[in-house]
Amino acid sequence: MTLPVALYIVPTPIGNLQDMSPRAIEVLEQVSLIACEDTRHSGKLLKHFGISTRTTALHDHNERARAQWIVEQLSANLAVALISDAGTPLISDPGYHLVTHVRAAGFEVVSLPGPCAAITALSASGLPSDRFSFEGFLPSKEKARLDKLTELKEAAHTLIFYESPHRIVYSLEAIVRVFGQERQIVMARELTKTFETFLTGTAAEVLETVKTDDNQQKGEIVLMCHGFVAAADQQAVPSVAMETLKLLSVELPLKKAAAIAAQIHGLKKNALYKAGLEAGL
């Protein structure tokens, strides 16, 4: 069977090799070229499954330049696959510029479902999953990290971050500082691997556990934070939602502005309407 010419986005296991799907193996066997984030790392995976397809490197430093070359391979009627070191490509991994370039050139992009650390962690976290946002890695610089968390402080939905072992303590300290000691968080580590662990508790509790257990500062980490919940004696409507309401109410009736702002921020429109009336909008 010959695959149609297209760019195939192929997820790979985040730890347990049994999570490699038969379809993923079949696609990687049948394409003419596999673009890998790291050819040496992916070479071990491909060898394990007996896949001998030609590979090429595509990473953060060469993606823009490599994208045109891959379009040329597609133009020569060669099917191409994209894989990252682990999980679903483009999720905090290279591939965005390539996919954009391939689509602009008129070629099809076919995405296979498969492993993703963020979704795997969320589904087992016990945190609300009806609304969430994936925020990638927090900035490495302290000020930028604090600024980013401040921006997200009043988000009402679950927040998901990736974090590296050498920065996890700094990020937890920043979360305690900005979100407060009592914010509920879950830290998932080494998902699907032998030493998979989930830490659940307040931000202060998880920070203390991580600081006193070096093992919790190793491996791949997904950090999840419960969304903002206003206390009974606090303003019921987050300030960011009020800002949206104020902007909308300049051009729209308050009731309509409240309905739109409620949709944007996942809040109740009646609460926003009442807040708008109290604010004199």
Side-chain angles (χ1 to χ4, degrees):
M1 175 182 174
T2 302
L3 286 175
V5 173
L7 173 65
Y8 293 84
I9 309 301
V10 182
T12 56
I14 58 177
N16 191 324
L17 293 179
Q18 294 184 63
D19 293 333
M20 188 77 165
S21 74
R23 184 185 176 199
I25 294 172
E26 184 178 80
V27 167
L28 295 179
E29 288 175 335
Q30 294 184 7
V31 294
S32 298
L33 176 70
I34 302 173
C36 311
E37 186 178 0
D38 184 329
T39 54
R40 289 171 298 180
H41 180 93
S42 295
K44 298 174 185 177
L45 176 75
L46 298 176
K47 182 179 180 180
H48 177 84
F49 289 103
I51 298 168
S52 57
T53 306
R54 180 168 61 110
T55 62
T56 187
L58 185 137
H59 44 71
D60 286 331
H61 303 293
N62 75 347
E63 182 180 353
R64 290 175 184 270
R66 207 65 175 155
Q68 179 55 40
W69 182 81
I70 289 178
V71 166
E72 291 170 6
Q73 306 309 299
L74 294 167
S75 299
N77 290 322
L78 300 178
V80 180
L82 172 67
I83 62 176
S84 59
D85 286 349
T88 301
L90 283 82
I91 310 302
S92 279
D93 280 326
Y96 163 72
H97 297 292
L98 173 62
V99 169
T100 301
H101 202 70
V102 167
R103 284 198 172 279
F107 291 99
E108 187 176 3
V109 178
V110 178
S111 181
L112 279 63
C116 174
I119 300 304
T120 301
L122 177 64
S123 65
S125 69
L127 293 175
S129 56
D130 55 332
R131 288 190 68 231
F132 61 90
S133 65
F134 173 66
E135 302 293 336
F137 286 87
L138 284 168
S140 58
K141 302 289 186 180
E142 181 182 20
K143 183 181 184 306
R145 184 162 55 240
L146 292 171
D147 287 346
K148 180 63 176 178
L149 289 170
T150 300
E151 175 188 322
L152 296 169
K153 180 180 180 180
E154 292 184 333
H157 54 270
T158 299
L159 302 170
I160 307 174
F161 304 95
Y162 284 166
E163 196 48 273
S164 58
H166 67 278
R167 290 211 308 256
I168 184 59
V169 171
Y170 299 125
S171 290
L172 286 168
E173 288 176 338
I175 287 171
V176 168
R177 180 173 169 182
V178 178
F179 290 179
Q181 296 188 24
E182 298 303 313
R183 181 71 69 100
Q184 289 294 307
I185 68 172
V186 178
M187 189 182 101
R189 187 179 66 87
E190 292 291 85
L191 290 169
T192 79
K193 300 176 186 176
T194 303
F195 298 105
E196 172 180 304
T197 58
F198 278 79
L199 295 179
T200 302
T202 65
E205 290 169 344
V206 173
L207 171 59
E208 183 61 25
T209 299
V210 172
K211 287 175 72 173
T212 56
D213 183 353
D214 290 343
N215 288 324
Q216 297 301 327
Q217 299 176 40
K218 298 174 183 177
E220 303 294 327
I221 297 168
V222 182
L223 197 56
M224 296 160 284
C225 302
H226 196 292
F228 174 78
V229 178
D233 59 347
Q234 289 180 325
Q235 179 183 356
V237 177
S239 59
V240 65
M242 283 301 297
E243 287 301 317
T244 301
L245 183 61
K246 288 176 184 177
L247 289 172
L248 291 171
S249 65
V250 173
E251 301 291 338
L252 298 170
L254 181 58
K255 187 169 288 189
K256 181 66 174 177
I260 295 173
Q263 274 192 311
I264 293 172
H265 296 285
L267 300 170
K268 294 183 177 179
K269 62 182 180 181
N270 288 341
L272 275 164
Y273 181 66
K274 180 180 177 183
L277 290 174
E278 291 174 352
L281 300 182

